Amino acid sequence: MEKTGAEILLQTLEEEGVEIIFGYPGANTLPVNDGLLTNPIRHYLMRHEQAAAHAADGYARVTGKVGVCLSTSGPGATNLVTGIATAFMDSTPLIALTGQVPTSFLGSDAFQETDVIGITMPITKHSFLVRNEKDMRSTIKQAFELAKSGRPGPVLVDLPKDVLAAKCRDREERDIRPPMKQNNGIKKDHEQLEKIAMALNRAERPVIIIGGGVKLGNACIEMTELVEKGQIPFVSTMMGIGSVHTSNGYNLGFIGTHGFEAANRITHQSDFILAAGTRFSDRSTSDVDEFAPLATIAQIDIDPTSIGKNIKTDIPLIGEIREILTNLLPLVKKKSRTAWLNRIHTEKQNLEREIPFNGCGQPGRFIGMVQEAMPEATTAVTDVGLNQIWTVRSWKTRIPRGLVTSGGLGTMGFSLPAAIGAKTGTPDREVVAFAGDGGFYMNIQELATINYYKIPVKIVVFNNGHLGMLRQMQDLFYGSRFSNIELGNGVDMVAVARGFGISADRISVEKPEAGIEQMSKTDGPYLLEVMVDPEDYVFPIIPPGRSNMEMIYGKPE
Amino acid sequence: MNGEKHIISILVSNKPGVLSRVSGVFGRLGYNIKSLCVAETADPEISRITLVSRANFDFTEKTKKQLDKLVDVIEVTELMSSESIERELVLIGINMDEEQKPEITRAIDMFGCSIIFMKSNYCILEVVGDKDKTETVINYLKPLGIKEINRTGIIAL
Ligand SMILES: Cc1ncc(C[n+]2csc(CCOP(=O)(O)OP(=O)(O)O)c2C)c(N)n1
């Protein structure tokens, strides 16, 4: 049988279990778009390529599958860049397919030619240029393997138009695997494992730090067992939120700049840290020299480069987190650490009393009310800014993969398209996007996509007329000299949403009941504009350059 | 940049674009490449990159881990001076007037270099050796008026 490169591409995607592609066509993708007419894969036409990448990212985060986006060459490909970088920083498995000018034009500055492989080299795990249709199948298979394996991440495949259009017989297809690696840096290291177990069993004040890698490595169950068996208090990074569900009170919340004070204080006092699937980014550690000064640190990660990247580790162990935890479990002893657990209990109680709504004020109270009004199976997708911190501090993760946020890159404009991806990936769940006005404007065109496909996502826009998080920083650290952060209140967002065919209402954050009720009982998409005081900030917060112990609760005098 | 000299030998797939991925790792980590040599190995699908950089102690670990992550990198090893043989080829172009001829001839004898090009008052010398030798020759000839130098960079096994 003879098939075109595009047909082989689509067939291979199907074999890899792809059901949905988020994309935007151009002249150089037309063979693929044509093939999609007769292929069961659904294509969502987004209104911007950046949104296509974020949607594929959101889809991957809630399903655990590989997300796929498709753009044309040149401007289409460069528009994907922010989305690819977002996925890279949070280790989302993503395949970015980019159309490219025909091979004979490569390197000639042809119309809509950009070296997208060169541009994305530092933000992809790997990239391929398919120079021959005979290599299409094996290249796509490799791309999927790479995106999923080890520490997941984006892989880009550049597809010249002539290769997509060329015909090829089955038996002409070839396998172009690269020469095998001598080793992948992973060796079974039982000695290190025993060292970790011994240090953990001996510790008087242990803490586990759960990073995003625990979820990515499907090790949530094993981690829960470890926490419960060893009765070990745990904290997480922002990406690790919601990995472990336990009612035993050992969960202290997430650490770092915008983290929970109890989590930061207890981590600081610990004598042993078991860190799993985290690179100790500066958002988590703040001043790294002051981070957990008394603790012996054991670090487990699938990615050798994450180990020792930002902090000196005493007992490193490279490997699959799930496998390591499974082997670690029988070695861990239950130990009574009454003094430690009592101290934790007291700190937690005191702090919860002192900071109402987790330091998120009215917006925090509001988010809690939204969650109670929505079914349990609801995924929250955040944007970036105050709205992100309010949401991750206030939303209770009750379902796996139920909180989607751009942690590593902090990409404004992420929430709307990522919510589209989340809803199409898990249609049985409700999806609520929480955004600030600034981030909402950044991908506002996706309201058109939501309308066209009737994607029933709920959208909450906190309208404070400002780039709120930066306003807080200027207020606190620049002597209230506000500069370049006012968006104003001249836009009628309800009218805008209705213009896009989406039902909407405006409420104040103090009196949200009716709005929340209307949103939760609307079947289709719904937008709620929530008017917020620009001085509703998040506290406590750690000033830049300070340690996790130096949280402040208000404007410095 | 100060710090110790490191010689890294990297086996890679012999394909377009691989060198830029490898050199990108050094650039992003902020290491300067002092010399670089790339050539096919006995297996035409595999090339060897030999690279010299000066850096502090965690250089090898950091770069090796990042390089190992690249799909096209097959093996990375640091070559220790005590356990490997290194060579570099240097071409030195020299202006020589009558007075200097004896000195240059002496250097040629002493260091075992050879003259591979000669024109009335200009010649090109070829020096092969390890870093110590090539440095010594260059330093000796410098006062005699080196006009140009080109070096292959170190290769090692
Ligand atoms: C694409 C992008 N540009 C700039 C920033 C820097 N930034 C971080 S938070 C923030 C303010 C966000 O304002 P808004 O979306 O209104 O949300 P709020 O903080 O008010 O909740 C900005 C500009 C960013 N994170 N992403």
Side-chain angles (χ1 to χ4, degrees), chain A residues 54-344:
Chain A
H54 288 326
D57 185 340
Y59 175 93
R61 290 186 203 224
V62 297
T63 58
K65 301 202 302 191
V66 179
V68 182
C69 58
L70 168 69
S71 81
T72 191
S73 60
T78 53
N79 271 350
L80 286 181
V81 169
T82 303
I84 296 174
T86 304
F88 184 75
M89 290 295 272
D90 289 344
S91 312
T92 306
L94 182 86
I95 302 284
L97 303 170
T98 48
Q100 184 54 282
V101 300
T103 43
S104 56
F105 288 93
L106 282 172
S108 71
D109 283 351
F111 177 64
Q112 296 199 329
E113 179 187 8
T114 47
D115 174 12
V116 67
I117 289 191
I119 291 172
T120 56
M121 208 170 271
I123 52 166
T124 48
K125 274 186 86 175
H126 192 59
S127 39
F128 297 94
L129 170 64
V130 185
R131 286 177 182 272
N132 193 309
E133 57 286 354
K134 294 177 189 143
D135 304 332
M136 183 69 79
R137 180 183 306 274
S138 100
T139 307
I140 298 296
K141 292 228 175 266
Q142 266 184 74
F144 272 82
E145 245 166 62
L146 278 167
K148 287 186 284 192
S149 64
R151 176 171 169 194
V155 176
L156 184 137
V157 186
D158 206 15
L159 303 160
K161 187 177 188 181
D162 57 326
V163 175
L164 290 171
K167 292 213 161 106
C168 159
R169 290 179 190 283
D170 287 352
R171 62 188 139 77
E172 288 172 334
E173 289 187 37
R174 42 186 197 204
D175 198 2
I176 46 141
R177 277 165 197 268
M180 277 302 289
K181 285 215 186 251
Q182 305 285 326
N183 76 56
N184 55 5
I186 299 176
K187 51 178 193 293
K188 298 238 159 29
D189 196 337
H190 205 73
E191 219 171 280
Q192 287 299 86
L193 193 74
E194 274 172 3
K195 267 195 209 160
I196 295 179
M198 257 168 57
L200 179 57
N201 289 334
R202 208 179 319 131
E204 295 293 334
R205 303 185 308 281
V207 167
I208 296 177
I209 302 182
I210 297 173
V214 172
K215 250 182 272 181
L216 288 165
N218 293 316
C220 296
I221 293 171
E222 290 73 10
M223 185 55 95
T224 310
E225 279 177 38
L226 177 66
V227 166
E228 288 182 343
K229 180 174 179 197
Q231 298 193 339
I232 308 159
F234 65 95
V235 299
S236 73
T237 65
M238 199 194 275
M239 296 313 293
I241 293 176
S243 307
V244 169
H245 295 268
T246 162
S247 47
N248 59 15
Y250 299 146
N251 185 356
L252 301 172
F254 70 100
I255 54 171
T257 319
H258 301 290
F260 286 88
E261 189 169 36
N264 280 335
R265 293 179 62 91
I266 292 299
T267 308
H268 188 84
Q269 296 166 41
S270 66
D271 66 351
F272 175 76
I273 287 175
L274 173 60
T278 168
R279 61 178 174 275
F280 289 96
S281 103
D282 54 307
R283 273 287 139 128
S284 297
T285 61
S286 304
D287 179 1
V288 70
D289 294 330
E290 291 294 317
F291 183 77
L294 310 172
T296 303
I297 298 181
Q299 188 184 4
I300 56 184
D301 206 293
I302 185 109
D303 177 4
T305 63
S306 288
I307 292 199
K309 181 182 268 174
N310 298 312
I311 208 163
K312 212 185 136 298
T313 32
D314 303 293
I315 322 176
L317 182 52
I318 301 165
E320 298 262 3
I321 294 183
R322 187 166 162 181
E323 189 185 327
I324 291 175
L325 293 182
T326 308
N327 295 332
L328 184 64
L329 267 166
L331 307 179
V332 171
K333 298 203 183 74
K334 192 168 179 166
K335 181 167 168 179
S336 109
R337 302 182 176 96
T338 324
W340 181 229
L341 294 178
N342 282 345
R343 193 189 309 179
I344 288 173

Side-chain angles (χ1 to χ4, degrees), chain A residues 384-387 410 412 436-439 442 464 466-470 487:
Chain A
V384 170
L386 294 174
N387 62 87
M412 281 171 71
D437 39 348
M442 279 203 182
N464 52 15
H466 288 80
L467 303 174
M469 175 167 275
L470 298 186
L487 298 166

Side-chain angles (χ1 to χ4, degrees), chain A residues 349-479:
Chain A
Q349 265 196 333
N350 288 344
L351 291 165
E352 273 165 16
R353 235 192 340 261
E354 275 164 30
I355 324 171
F357 306 118
N358 288 324
C360 298
Q362 288 295 330
R365 183 183 83 109
F366 166 82
I367 291 165
M369 289 168 71
V370 170
Q371 182 162 28
E372 293 321 314
M374 299 295 291
E376 182 170 84
T378 298
T379 302
V381 182
T382 86
D383 216 83
V384 170
L386 294 174
N387 62 87
Q388 177 179 37
I389 311 305
W390 290 331
T391 310
V392 297
R393 285 181 74 106
S394 311
W395 190 264
K396 297 189 179 56
T397 48
R398 294 172 173 152
I399 51 170
R401 299 178 177 276
L403 178 68
V404 173
T405 193
S406 162
L409 199 68
T411 309
M412 281 171 71
F414 174 75
S415 62
L416 204 51
I420 293 176
K423 185 64 195 173
T424 49
T426 49
D428 295 342
R429 290 183 175 184
E430 294 285 344
V431 173
V432 185
F434 292 96
D437 39 348
F440 175 62
Y441 291 135
M442 279 203 182
N443 270 316
I444 195 168
Q445 77 287 345
E446 294 313 314
L447 291 177
T449 312
I450 290 170
N451 169 43
Y452 181 82
Y453 293 102
K454 304 281 173 267
I455 301 169
V457 290
K458 313 291 181 239
I459 304 152
V460 170
V461 183
F462 292 108
N463 189 352
N464 52 15
H466 288 80
L467 303 174
M469 175 167 275
L470 298 186
R471 189 181 199 281
Q472 174 171 7
M473 290 185 193
Q474 292 180 346
D475 208 358
L476 265 53
F477 312 126
Y478 287 84

Side-chain angles (χ1 to χ4, degrees), chain A residues 127 181-182 303-305 307, chain B residues 21 65 68-70 73 75:
Chain A
S127 39
K181 285 215 186 251
Q182 305 285 326
D303 177 4
T305 63
I307 292 199
Chain B
R21 289 182 197 272
K65 278 181 180 175
D68 270 331
K69 269 170 78 165
L70 298 179
V73 167
E75 194 188 270

